[in-house]
Amino acid sequence: GLRAGLAPAAGRPGVTDVRVLGAIGVVQLDHEVDVAAATEAAVRAGVWLRPFRDLIYTMPPYVTGDGDLASICSGVLSAVAASIGSAADR
């Protein structure tokens, strides 16, 4: 679920890597995450993320259902878009 949900971030300008290892999904940017913009976008999408450095990541519990996982991935993608957009504005 994480691979499919985060795949749309791959190849986007500003994204260096998208990777999944077990229950950890990571989108790595080519710049520092705008934490305020990324957090605001994730909260608007209904999830709480704690991005740091150049990483936006999630570690959902193994018991997370498909619907919740889709929401989490949507929140990560929203955070990525907000952080890339804010970097472009600088």
Side-chain angles (χ1 to χ4, degrees):
L2 283 174
R3 284 189 207 288
L6 299 179
R12 287 191 64 170
V15 173
T16 301
D17 193 17
V18 177
R19 56 190 178 271
V20 174
L21 179 62
I24 302 169
V26 179
V27 178
Q28 185 173 12
L29 305 180
D30 65 2
H31 59 277
E32 293 285 317
V33 174
D34 180 333
V35 174
T39 300
E40 182 180 331
V43 169
R44 275 196 314 267
V47 299
W48 179 254
L49 300 171
R50 295 184 60 171
F52 70 102
R53 295 193 321 237
D54 60 345
L55 306 174
I56 299 175
Y57 72 99
T58 183
M59 295 171 34
Y62 289 119
V63 297
T64 302
D66 292 341
D68 285 339
L69 190 57
S71 294
I72 292 167
C73 290
S74 178
V76 170
L77 296 176
S78 294
V80 168
S83 191
I84 290 172
S86 70
D89 293 340
R90 291 184 207 152

